[in-house]
């Protein structure tokens, strides 16, 4: 039902377009104060009366001409029509008898009409009218026309039914093909390719089904309208409208071919340029080519930026050559899209600019171990809008570039190649312990800890003489920043072991009194349950 409704609306729109195209333009009348009165028979406009003639108004002239012509309809032959002219106008004759007279006042010169042209047009319209009505005064002619229309309608319905069956078969074929494709792509997690294939197949079906249905409907309606004299003019107008529409499409396509050739040329040149840029910066990224300011860290970003810039420039060059680019609708759409982008892309532009600052300032690089705010981990990706960091807890943290640019970043890897990353631990020991002994014990703990560099050697600083204790800083270098937390944990354990071995308490309370017994862990209690010795089975 929806298909039939759409088809009828399509045909009626064509008829309306054809009627508008064939109707005479509404222009000022040739004679001042006169009305335009068309003589219409069987939906054919024979002539338009605009002026008075021998005291008769245009309406009276039209009624008189209609009576004369209707007496002839059915038996008249077009061969007896003729045209006669004089200085005041011209008349259309049938077998030597005048049917109507066209004066110079009836000619709309502003619309480009001429007396001779109006007479010939009226003669042609009457010829078609007589041809349409000839023989239709007999009942058998009407029955034959009705039979033709009924048969055409049955064929039309059968064609639509067959077309619907073809559509159902196509839908089954689409489901079968998709099923086979899904079986082959079971190992893929993404279903986007399957959806794209499904959309493409259904779109192909629509491109075949709907034009075919509308084409069948057009042939049926044109044939049925031509079966009857009163609607034959509509069938002719429908054919004329379709022919005009096809001509417009053909002319538009032919006129657009040179511009489309320029568009294709611009696209090919841009594609070749982008390929050259990609090849060059891939070589820079791999280290086989050196380009001054650009290095392996900035080559990928520069390649993408130049590619985007090249395609944007190509779009700007292509725009004037696109069909319809100079129309008001196209310009209005461009303005709306530009306004939407400008209003919604302010934050995006800020993130994009921050990403460029990070990449080209080289403050951090992929693979470096950094601390950004409270997050500490390895930089895995520096995007245009966000940076991804993998923490030691196997978390992936995405940090917006605008946030990253606005705060300090600790880079543990940047200077590690020149002597390791410098780290520190802090202990506070009372004044009753010799500071030289504390220095020696902290250095001993550093020697026992694997992963600490001995060149440069660890060093101890007394950074504060507080009210109740002395503050000692042990500074050391690490080769691998990613193991910082693990090494610090082992170092803190070795510090506790060494201080226990030499009977020194690690206590830094606000001093009130010495404890009754030293707060130490005996060596035999180092591995109380559930702790186990390293050499235990």
């Amino acid at each position: 039902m929806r298909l039939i409704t759409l088809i009828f609306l399509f045909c009626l729109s064509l008829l309306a377009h054809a009627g508008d195209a064939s109707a005479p333009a509404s222009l000022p009348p040739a004679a001042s104060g006169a009305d335009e009165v068309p003589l219409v028979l069987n939906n054919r406009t024979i002539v338009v009366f605009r002026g008075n003639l021998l005291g008769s108004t245009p309406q009276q002239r039209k009624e008189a001409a209609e009576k004369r012509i209707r007496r002839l309809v059915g038996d008249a032959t077009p061969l007896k029509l003729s045209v006669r002219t004089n200085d005041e106008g011209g008349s259309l004759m049938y077998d030597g008898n005048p049917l109507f007279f066209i004066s110079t006042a009836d000619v709309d010169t502003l619309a480009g009409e001429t007396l001779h042209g109006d007479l010939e047009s009226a003669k042609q319209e009457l010829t078609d009218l007589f041809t349409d009505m000839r023989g239709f005064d007999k009942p058998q002619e009407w029955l034959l026309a009705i039979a033709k229309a009924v048969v055409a309608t049955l064929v039309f319905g059968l064609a639509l039914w067959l077309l619907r069956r073809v559509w159902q078969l196509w839908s089954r074929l689409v489901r079968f093909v998709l099923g086979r494709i899904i079986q082959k792509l079971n190992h893929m997690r993404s279903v986007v390719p399957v959806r794209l294939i499904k959309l493409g197949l259904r779109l192909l079906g629509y491109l075949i089904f709907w034009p075919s249905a509308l084409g069948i409907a057009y042939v049926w309606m044109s044939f049925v309208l031509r079966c009857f004299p009163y609607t034959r003019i509509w069938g002719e107008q429908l054919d004329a409208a379709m022919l005009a529409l096809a001509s417009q499409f053909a002319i538009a396509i032919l006129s657009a071919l040179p511009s489309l050739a320029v568009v294709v040329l611009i696209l090919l040149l841009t594609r070749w340029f982008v390929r050259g840029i990609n090849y060059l910066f891939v070589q820079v990224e791999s280290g086989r080519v050196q380009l001054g300011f650009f290095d392996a860290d900035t080559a990928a970003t520069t390649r993408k930026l130049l590619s985007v810039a090249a395609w944007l420039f190509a779009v700007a060059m292509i725009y004037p050559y696109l069909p319809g680019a100079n129309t008001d609708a196209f310009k209005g759409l461009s303005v709306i899209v530009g306004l939407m982008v400008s209003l919604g892309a302010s934050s995006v532009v800020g993130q994009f600019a921050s990403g460029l600052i990070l990449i080209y300032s080289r403050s951090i690089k992929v693979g470096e171990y950094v601390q950004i705010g409270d997050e500490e981990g390895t930089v895995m990706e520096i995007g245009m809008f966000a940076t991804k960091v993998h923490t030691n807890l196997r978390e992936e943290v995405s940090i917006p570039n605008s946030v990253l640019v606005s705060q300090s970043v600790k880079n543990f890897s940047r200077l590690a190649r020149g002597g390791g990353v410098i780290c520190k631990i802090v202990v506070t020991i009372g004044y009753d312990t010799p500071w030289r002994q504390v220095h020696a014990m902290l250095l001993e703990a550093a020697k026992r800890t694997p992963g600490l560099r001995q060149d440069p050697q660890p060093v101890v600083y007394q950074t504060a003489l507080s009210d109740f204790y002395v503050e000692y800083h042990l500074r050391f270098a690490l080769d691998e920043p990613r193991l910082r937390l693990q090494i610090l944990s082992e170092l803190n354990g070795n510090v506790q072991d060494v201080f226990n071995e030499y009977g020194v308490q690690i206590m830094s309370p606000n001093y009130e009194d010495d404890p009754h017994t030293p707060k130490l862990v005996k060596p035999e209690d180092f591995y109380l349950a559930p702790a186990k010795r390293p050499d235990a089975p």
Side-chain angles (χ1 to χ4, degrees):
M1 182 61 67
R2 289 183 297 177
L3 173 62
I4 297 176
T5 303
L6 179 61
I7 289 173
F8 272 108
L9 291 176
F10 168 74
C11 295
L12 290 177
S13 65
L14 286 179
L15 282 175
H17 176 72
D20 294 340
S22 62
S26 178
L27 293 171
S32 176
D35 296 330
E36 292 187 352
V37 181
L39 174 59
V40 180
L41 295 172
N42 288 4
N43 299 313
R44 294 182 181 274
T45 302
I46 309 300
V47 68
V48 178
F49 298 109
R50 295 186 176 89
N52 297 329
L53 181 65
L54 300 176
S56 298
T57 63
Q59 180 65 30
Q60 293 172 340
R61 296 172 59 195
K62 174 253 184 185
E63 293 174 356
E66 185 176 356
K67 290 179 181 178
R68 298 188 193 101
I69 295 172
R70 287 194 180 278
R71 295 193 193 101
L72 303 174
V73 170
D75 295 326
T77 173
L79 298 177
K80 294 182 180 182
L81 289 173
S82 61
V83 174
R84 183 178 298 174
T85 60
N86 54 36
D87 295 338
E88 297 180 357
S91 59
L92 190 62
M93 314 290 291
Y94 181 80
D95 199 14
N97 298 317
L99 295 178
F100 52 82
F101 186 83
I102 299 178
S103 65
T104 55
D106 297 324
V107 180
D108 190 354
T109 56
L110 295 178
E113 297 180 3
T114 61
L115 178 62
H116 181 72
D118 287 353
L119 286 171
E120 291 297 329
S121 176
K123 180 181 178 182
Q124 182 61 45
E125 293 295 335
L126 278 178
T127 299
D128 295 337
L129 175 66
F130 291 159
T131 303
D132 293 344
M133 295 300 297
R134 189 172 181 83
F136 266 88
D137 56 341
K138 301 176 182 179
Q140 55 267 28
E141 294 292 338
W142 286 98
L143 291 176
L144 180 60
I146 293 173
K148 290 180 180 179
V150 171
V151 171
T153 303
L154 293 177
V155 173
F156 171 64
L158 178 62
L160 289 183
W161 181 81
L162 291 175
L163 192 61
R164 181 175 179 82
R165 292 293 299 172
V166 170
W167 173 256
Q168 292 175 351
L169 292 176
W170 176 262
S171 300
R172 293 176 184 174
L173 178 62
V174 168
R175 288 194 293 269
F176 174 75
V177 172
L178 288 177
R180 297 295 297 272
I181 293 175
I182 292 174
Q183 290 179 359
K184 293 181 179 179
L185 300 179
N186 278 333
H187 63 281
M188 296 181 62
R189 296 181 179 180
S190 176
V191 296
V192 174
V194 177
R195 293 180 179 178
L196 290 178
I197 294 172
K198 180 179 179 181
L199 178 62
L201 292 175
R202 294 192 67 86
L203 181 61
L204 179 61
Y206 285 131
L207 292 177
I208 296 175
F209 176 76
W210 287 108
S212 300
L214 295 178
I216 294 173
Y218 159 71
V219 173
W220 165 76
M221 179 165 283
S222 176
F223 179 81
V224 171
L225 291 176
R226 287 176 175 271
C227 290
F228 302 97
Y230 293 103
T231 58
R232 188 166 296 168
I233 182 63
W234 291 346
E236 295 174 357
Q237 291 175 353
L238 182 63
D239 293 341
M242 289 299 297
L243 182 60
L245 187 62
S247 300
Q248 290 177 1
F249 273 114
I251 293 173
I253 292 173
L254 291 176
S255 60
L257 286 180
S259 299
L260 292 178
V262 175
V263 170
V264 172
L265 180 60
I266 293 175
L267 291 177
L268 289 177
L269 292 175
T270 306
R271 184 180 180 186
W272 293 335
F273 175 77
V274 170
R275 282 186 174 181
I277 290 295
N278 290 339
Y279 176 78
L280 176 62
F281 280 93
V282 166
Q283 300 300 316
V284 175
E285 192 173 357
S286 63
R288 290 189 289 267
V289 176
Q290 301 294 330
L291 279 182
F293 179 75
F294 304 107
D295 53 18
D297 297 317
T298 59
T301 302
T302 306
R303 173 172 55 85
K304 295 177 182 178
L305 290 176
L306 290 179
S307 299
V308 171
W311 284 114
L312 290 177
F313 180 75
V315 170
M317 295 294 294
I318 288 171
Y319 180 84
Y321 297 99
L322 293 177
N326 296 323
T327 61
D328 294 336
F330 204 96
K331 294 177 181 178
L333 181 63
S334 302
V335 172
I336 292 175
V337 173
L339 182 62
M340 293 173 61
V341 172
S342 62
L343 292 177
S346 57
S347 60
V348 176
V349 172
Q351 299 283 3
F352 180 76
S354 300
L356 294 182
I357 293 173
L358 284 176
I359 293 171
Y360 286 99
S361 65
R362 300 177 177 86
S363 58
I364 58 175
K365 296 181 181 180
V366 174
E368 292 183 335
Y369 192 80
V370 298
Q371 181 177 357
I372 304 171
D374 296 332
E375 304 297 339
E376 182 176 321
T378 304
V379 179
M380 301 304 298
E381 179 183 346
I382 304 176
M384 290 296 180
F385 304 102
T387 297
K388 295 181 180 179
V389 176
H390 288 186
T391 68
N392 294 325
L393 301 177
R394 300 184 63 84
E395 300 172 336
E396 182 178 85
V397 181
S398 182
I399 304 174
N401 288 334
S402 59
V403 175
L404 192 58
V405 170
S406 62
Q407 63 181 348
S408 60
V409 178
K410 290 183 179 180
N411 194 324
F412 298 105
S413 300
R414 184 63 56 86
L415 302 179
R417 303 180 186 91
V421 178
I422 304 300
C423 298
K424 67 179 180 180
I425 61 171
V426 180
V427 294
T428 55
I429 306 298
Y431 284 97
D432 54 344
T433 304
W435 63 266
R436 294 175 180 85
Q437 184 186 19
V438 175
H439 281 217
M441 288 188 295
L442 289 175
L443 294 177
E444 177 64 24
K447 291 180 180 179
R448 296 183 183 183
T449 306
L452 267 67
R453 292 175 61 100
Q454 299 303 317
D455 183 20
Q457 293 182 352
V459 61
V460 180
Y461 296 99
Q462 300 179 51
T463 57
L465 300 177
S466 301
D467 293 338
F468 306 105
Y469 49 77
V470 180
E471 186 176 277
Y472 298 91
H473 280 212
L474 172 62
R475 296 194 179 186
F476 51 90
L478 302 179
D479 284 324
E480 183 52 58
R482 293 176 183 82
L483 302 178
R484 192 172 68 92
L485 294 179
Q486 178 181 345
I487 295 174
L488 287 176
S489 175
E490 294 181 5
L491 176 61
N492 288 327
N494 290 329
V495 168
Q496 295 177 63
D497 290 342
V498 171
F499 274 61
N500 274 310
E501 292 174 6
Y502 290 97
V504 177
Q505 302 179 74
I506 304 178
M507 294 183 60
S508 304
N510 292 339
Y511 189 87
E512 292 182 0
D513 193 7
D514 291 329
H516 297 290
T517 59
K519 301 299 182 183
L520 301 174
V521 179
K522 298 178 181 179
E524 59 270 18
D525 295 334
F526 282 0
Y527 296 98
L528 293 177
K532 295 182 180 180
R533 295 180 179 275
D535 54 353

